[in-house]
Amino acid sequence: MPSAVDVAVVGAGPNGLAAAVTMARAGLSVRLYERNATIGGGARTAESTLPGFWHDVCSAVHPMALASGFFRQFQLSQRIGLVVPEVSYGHPLDGGRAGIAYRDLERTAQGLGVDGDAWRRLMGPLARAADQVAQFAGSPLLRIPAHPVTAARFGLRSLEQGSPLWNLRFRGDEAPAMLTGVAAHSIRPMPSLSTAGAALSLGAYAHGRGWPVPVGGSQSIVDALAADLVAHGGEIVTDAPIEHLDEVRAARAVMLDVAPKNLARIAHDRLPAGYLAALRRFRYGNAASKVDFALSGPVPWQNEELRRAGTVHVGGTRVAIAASEATVASGRHSDDPYVLVAQPSTFDDTRAPQGSHVLWAYTHVPRDSDVDQTEAITRQIERFAPGFRDLVLASSSRTARDLENYDPNYIGGDIASGTASLWQLAARPVLSLNPWATPAAGVYLCSSSTPPGPGVHGLAGWYAARRALSAEFGIAVPPSLAV
């Protein structure tokens, strides 16, 4: 039996690592368990197609790398290389047109022609207060906002863009398509308050701080967290699935970076019936299906400005994307899918052999889908980048079911670890002022199934760890995370 430690952390994704780092920085002994041979969860990088082509297994571009309160405290930007593209994201339309979201808000507005002023009025106040938006969006919904004016502006805009009134301020196609492409990150029908919130918060970061691409891939974020944990006495154990709390019973506190379904399985005999029933009521959303491409050259986007974008949202007009997401919500695969594309090797030449490129792409599918989306994604990219198909050297596909097999927290391929409806952003996984604590003594949930929800930001793990430090160890002042 392994020696006793103060804290056992189960799951070495970004949130589990954030919890472990915080606990170790507080002077506690920490052991981190990971079921896979490598750590990282949703932030791994691997040679998925051909030797020398390094692909991000799940996340690729990280809007929260500069905006997350945890990563700012951890000083992530001083630990790894982060390239911030001048074009945060682009959105192609038929005929070679495109909406281009530059980091420069004014330049973006100028490119939107008739809708430039509308974009400036909508996004300007949020972009100028991007750090306040990040603090608001990265906090539990039940918490009183630290910046009420910014929260009010955000809320009013969410009411507009989350309702049938979402087109009132626009006259062209590009601006509403750009917002819809960002809103679709949440894998939910549109318009809704939660999808509008995603569009506005991510859009604010796009102009306020940019959407960084980590040099060396998402694994560099994980490696920085792991190095800090080990430097402060922490231990990482891989190939170590934890099937029951008895396996970590010697720890004074247990942090679980798992989905509620897996919490119920691991701790079923330690949790009261009412809480278990609440975990069973927690709803999982629809899924992603992902394809990685090894390319002989850059994507030949018809609109050349898209070649400078870190992220491209493919799917056409606002109407078309909303229809595609509605189709997925009804349990069917879309014939005209929304495709989220990342182009990391455009900005990081360590990711592919000289002259070659990696391309990251996923589309949305019904939960538990086992349908390979390689052809659907290829066809949709080819629509806006003629000749793309001819550049493909190799590809690697993961269906929704494959994603769950890779990471059991992605229930049915739900990469958000629970549908991001307005209710489930508040009740995540239960409605509580302290949703990270479970009824089991000393056991905390620290996954994306707790506030503030999905994304590589480390906040759920950080919040859970701070609660556990206070309640279990009497440490009221969180430790410094600085370099």
Side-chain angles (χ1 to χ4, degrees), residues 212-457:
V213 175
V215 176
S218 296
Q219 190 74 45
S220 64
I221 298 175
V222 166
D223 290 346
L225 289 165
D228 192 88
L229 172 61
V230 172
H232 289 85
E235 178 186 359
I236 300 173
V237 184
T238 56
D239 291 312
I242 300 298
E243 303 297 339
H244 193 275
L245 282 180
D246 283 349
E247 298 173 61
V248 290
R249 64 180 180 274
R252 292 174 60 188
V254 178
M255 316 298 294
L256 298 173
D257 184 5
V258 302
K261 180 178 179 179
N262 295 322
L263 168 62
R265 176 178 56 80
I266 293 170
H268 61 91
D269 56 350
R270 305 280 187 89
L271 300 172
Y275 188 80
L276 285 170
L279 296 182
R280 287 192 291 271
R281 289 193 297 270
F282 189 75
R283 292 291 172 256
Y284 299 93
N286 282 307
S289 181
K290 181 173 179 290
V291 180
D292 289 301
F293 295 94
L295 304 178
S296 61
V299 179
W301 299 109
Q302 192 172 5
N303 186 298
E304 293 195 1
E305 279 297 277
L306 295 171
R307 304 180 189 190
R308 304 170 58 202
T311 301
V312 182
H313 301 128
V314 180
T317 65
R318 164 170 273 185
V319 170
I321 294 175
S324 175
E325 295 300 283
T327 297
V328 172
S330 72
R332 296 176 291 127
H333 293 82
S334 174
D335 294 328
D336 184 22
Y338 165 82
V339 180
L340 179 57
V341 175
Q343 307 182 121
S345 54
T346 302
F347 310 96
D348 175 9
D349 60 11
T350 71
R351 305 293 296 277
Q354 187 173 8
S356 302
H357 285 268
V358 295
L359 193 74
W360 178 106
Y362 80 55
T363 189
H364 299 154
V365 295
R367 187 166 54 253
D368 293 319
S369 168
D370 62 356
V371 178
D372 187 322
Q373 293 293 301
T374 302
E375 175 55 29
I377 288 174
T378 301
R379 185 175 60 248
Q380 193 72 307
I381 296 175
E382 178 86 14
R383 171 183 166 189
F384 299 100
F388 167 74
R389 190 184 297 270
D390 298 333
L391 299 176
V392 178
L393 300 172
S395 64
S396 174
S397 172
R398 290 195 180 191
T399 68
R401 288 186 184 176
D402 292 335
L403 287 173
E404 182 176 2
N405 290 335
Y406 160 76
D407 189 333
N409 290 328
Y410 296 157
I411 308 297
D414 173 12
I415 58 175
S417 295
T419 185
S421 65
L422 188 64
W423 169 252
Q424 281 204 171
L425 289 175
R428 198 165 183 91
V430 297
L431 191 65
S432 170
L433 292 175
N434 184 11
W436 307 277
T438 77
V443 177
Y444 294 78
L445 189 63
C446 66
S447 69
S448 293
S449 300
T450 64
V456 177
H457 44 58

